[in-house]
Every structure is written in C-alpha cells, then in structure tokens.
Amino acid sequence: MIKTPHQPGAAYDGSFVPSVQGLRAIAALSVLMDHFYDMPKGGMYDIPDPGFLPPLWPWLQSVINVGGHGVELFFMISGFLIPASLVRHGSLSRFFFDRVLRIMPVFVVLHLALFAIGPIVAYKFFRGIDLSSYLAIFAANLFFVQDALGLPIAQQNAWTLTYEWAFYIWFALTFSVWRTGGRLLAAPLILLGIACLMHWPITAFFCIGMLFSATGFRISIPGRLGLLAGLVCGAALYASLVLFHPFVGLIPGFLLFGMVLAPESGLGKALSLPALQYVGKISYSLYLVHPFVLFPLQVIGLKLVAAGVDRWLLWTAFIGLGLVMSLVASAISYELIEVRLRRLLDGAIRGMFSRPQIEQSV
C-alpha cells in the first residue's frame, strides 16, 4: 500500500526519522563488511586466496564484495536531509558552518594522525616520499581535491566526502539562485548537475533522496511482507550496482528508500531497532575510523599467515576483533570528537563572530 504520511506534496520538515538513522547503520556496516573481505588480501588481487583470506565459495565472495556500495545509501540519505537542513538554517553561511562542524572534526583528526604516523610505519604512498609530495598530498586530501589533481587518496573511505561536499555546494547554490532569480538563472546550475550525473552516475542517488525530501510520497508495506520487500529491494539495488549500470540501481533504490521512510512499513520498523539506532548515531565515525582499526590487524594477520597460521582462524579473528574494536573506537570518536570537540569548536568559532555585549555596570 502506498501512503503519503503528510499532506500530499508536503516537503520533509527536517524532523528526526529513526529508520533513516538505522539505514545509516546498514550503510556503514556494509562498507565494513566489504573491508573484512578486501583488507585480508593485503593488496594482492592477481592470485587465488591471497593474504590470509581463506578459500571462500564464489557466491559468498560476491555477496561480501558488494558491501562497498553502502556509499549509495549514504548518498540517498544526504539527498533527503540536506534540502531541509538548508531551509532550516535560513542562510548559506549558517548552513555551511554547520556542515563544516559536522564533517571536518573527525576527518581532520584522522588526517593529522595519518600524516604523522604514516611515514613512520611506511603506510602505502608514504614509502620513500619526498617533502614536496608529502605536502602536496596533505593539502590536496585536506581540501578533497586529490582526485582532480591525480594524487593518492589518504584516508581509505574519504573519497566519498568529495562527492558529499560537491553536492552540498551545488544544491545550496542552485536552491539560492532559484529562490532569488528564478528558473532561468538556475538553469545553468541544473544543467551542470545533469552533466555530473552523466559523468559520475553514482551521484544520481542523491536525486532519490531529494525527490522524497520534496514530497510526502512514501511506500508503506506493513509487517513481515514489508520487511521482505525491503530486503529484496536492497539485494536488487546491490546486485544492480555490480552487474549493471548504476542507473539501473535507481529503481530498487527508489523503492527501498520509499519503504525506509514510511514509519509503519515493516522495513522502517526493523531499521528503528535500538541497536541499529546506536550504530547509526556513530556511523560517520565508524565509516572513517574502521580502516585505522583494521590496518594493524591486517599487518599482524599477514605476518602470522606467513608463519603458517591457519587462514580460517586468522580471518575469523580479524572479523571478530575488527568488528568489536571498530565499534568501540567509533563510539569513543563520536563522544570525544563529534560531540565534545564539536561543541567546543562551535562555541569558540561562533563567539569570534557574535560576541555577547557586556552591560556596563552602574
């Protein structure tokens, strides 16, 4: 059954949607699952059973290997939330200030840690790097232009933040120009957005979120049937992204997100479970932090497999320890950086631009 829980055509008002929080958890755990499969290979892809990855059934490899497409779920979520966030903030400056505070603290802390420790442990591109290259890669990654400059990506998952920032800037400018100058002035920006969709097809998943943000359209299928329908659409989405063009994945992605947003749907209720709510809350930290946690486990696993330790034992330990340690590290990152450091930065920076007036004592 298809429902519109608000008035027909009503835009999303920015209120908290538990099922979206749960979908964040699924997206982050999906990427984590992919790295449980990829990192044990130790960068070796041209030989069977590389590193300490045990021999797996081909169908299981295929299932695990699609996990990296959790980023498309994040893009749908951003497309849904950002329009309402821009309207709520009421100005571009406040909107971007909040975006910087949301995105940058965790990223910058990890960025500085990586460039401090990376040369010491000879991590990837740091091996034999000269000072000029070091500084160029440092600056390019800090401002998310490494792809444009043809430089290595530093943080393993941060490449998606380039797409996120591009979407924030494009949508904010397009929305503002449309409001002040009308469709004609906004047309070049809209055409630019379409050109980006053609060149980078995965960015089309932002459009699914934008569509649902602009309307009250939802797809409510209650009970177990709704949960099953959601799982089928999720599987079809991931399969489409692997087997076909990303645009094919827009169809199951649209159906999936419509069910996620319907509060009475079986899928929406399943995503609102407390455990998924907590993982969704820390999902940004989990997404960025877990490669740092898994890297030392990867190094240890590669050394132990060379010493003859059983692959199945190493891979099982890698997954178990990696999951627990990633969740713990992400919870700590959330509390210390996303909450406390962000609060300190918010108060300090806002205070620089809006100092309270001191009343003169009589």
Side-chain angles (χ1 to χ4, degrees):
M1 180 170 58
I2 298 176
K3 290 184 178 181
T4 53
H6 310 295
Q7 295 179 355
Y12 167 60
D13 60 4
S15 57
F16 177 71
V17 182
S19 55
V20 170
Q21 187 87 303
L23 188 64
R24 274 199 183 110
I26 297 298
L29 291 172
S30 175
V31 175
L32 177 61
M33 178 183 72
D34 179 60
H35 290 154
F36 284 151
Y37 170 75
D38 188 69
M39 291 185 70
K41 296 178 182 179
M44 297 176 287
Y45 302 99
D46 55 350
I47 60 174
D49 305 326
F52 59 92
L53 184 71
L56 301 175
W57 299 283
W59 67 266
L60 181 58
Q61 293 186 45
S62 299
V63 169
I64 299 174
N65 202 29
V66 302
H69 290 291
V71 298
E72 282 83 352
L73 301 181
F74 280 124
F75 289 169
M76 287 193 289
I77 292 170
S78 291
F80 178 70
L81 297 176
I82 291 303
S85 176
L86 180 60
V87 172
R88 185 175 69 253
H89 283 88
S91 75
L92 291 180
S93 60
R94 285 195 289 269
F95 169 75
F96 280 112
F97 179 80
D98 183 71
R99 285 292 88 198
V100 169
L101 279 182
R102 175 74 179 96
I103 298 296
M104 295 306 290
V106 175
F107 171 81
V108 170
V109 169
L110 295 176
H111 185 75
L112 295 175
L114 177 61
F115 278 82
I117 300 172
I120 299 173
V121 300
Y123 175 75
K124 292 185 178 179
F125 57 83
F126 287 109
R127 298 187 187 100
I129 194 172
D130 57 70
L131 181 59
S132 61
S133 298
Y134 177 94
L135 294 175
I137 297 173
F138 179 91
N141 278 271
L142 183 62
F143 294 102
F144 308 106
V145 294
Q146 68 283 342
D147 288 340
L149 298 178
L151 294 173
I153 178 73
Q155 293 187 46
Q156 187 168 340
N157 290 334
W159 64 271
T160 61
L161 297 182
T162 301
Y163 290 92
E164 290 280 351
W165 276 113
F167 171 67
Y168 300 157
I169 295 169
W170 173 83
F171 181 83
L173 291 178
T174 304
F175 181 82
S176 299
V177 171
W178 184 296
R179 268 191 145 181
T180 56
R183 300 178 184 177
L184 189 60
L185 287 179
L189 287 169
I190 295 173
L191 292 175
L192 174 63
I194 295 173
C196 290
L197 295 183
M198 296 297 106
H199 190 71
W200 296 286
I202 63 171
T203 59
F205 285 87
F206 287 112
C207 298
I208 292 178
M210 291 167 60
L211 177 62
F212 282 106
S213 184
T215 69
F217 180 78
R218 304 291 185 263
I219 302 174
S220 182
I221 305 176
R224 294 180 179 178
L225 179 61
L227 177 58
L228 178 62
L231 294 175
V232 169
C233 286
L237 168 61
Y238 278 72
S240 298
L241 291 168
V242 173
L243 301 175
F244 308 110
H245 193 276
F247 286 169
V248 177
L250 294 175
I251 299 172
F254 174 85
L255 297 174
L256 173 71
F257 205 60
M259 286 184 273
V260 168
L261 296 176
E264 296 305 317
S265 73
L267 180 62
K269 287 187 174 181
L271 290 171
S272 301
L273 293 173
L276 286 178
Q277 291 299 292
Y278 182 75
V279 176
K281 184 172 70 171
I282 65 171
S283 59
Y284 179 59
S285 281
L286 178 60
Y287 180 70
L288 288 183
V289 167
H290 81 260
F292 290 81
V293 175
L294 296 184
F295 176 69
L297 297 179
Q298 177 196 42
V299 172
I300 294 170
L302 292 173
K303 290 183 177 180
L304 290 177
V305 75
V309 180
D310 182 72
R311 280 191 170 94
W312 280 105
L313 177 63
L314 290 174
W315 192 53
T316 302
F318 179 74
I319 293 174
L321 288 173
L323 178 60
V324 172
M325 292 172 63
S326 293
L327 289 173
V328 171
S330 301
I332 294 172
S333 170
Y334 174 80
E335 292 295 337
L336 295 183
I337 303 176
E338 293 193 59
V339 175
R340 299 185 187 185
L341 179 58
R342 181 181 175 184
R343 188 182 299 141
L344 287 173
L345 291 173
D346 190 7
I349 297 174
R350 286 186 197 274
M352 291 170 59
F353 295 100
S354 57
R355 298 176 181 233
Q357 295 182 350
I358 302 176
E359 293 184 3
Q360 184 175 0
S361 58
V362 179

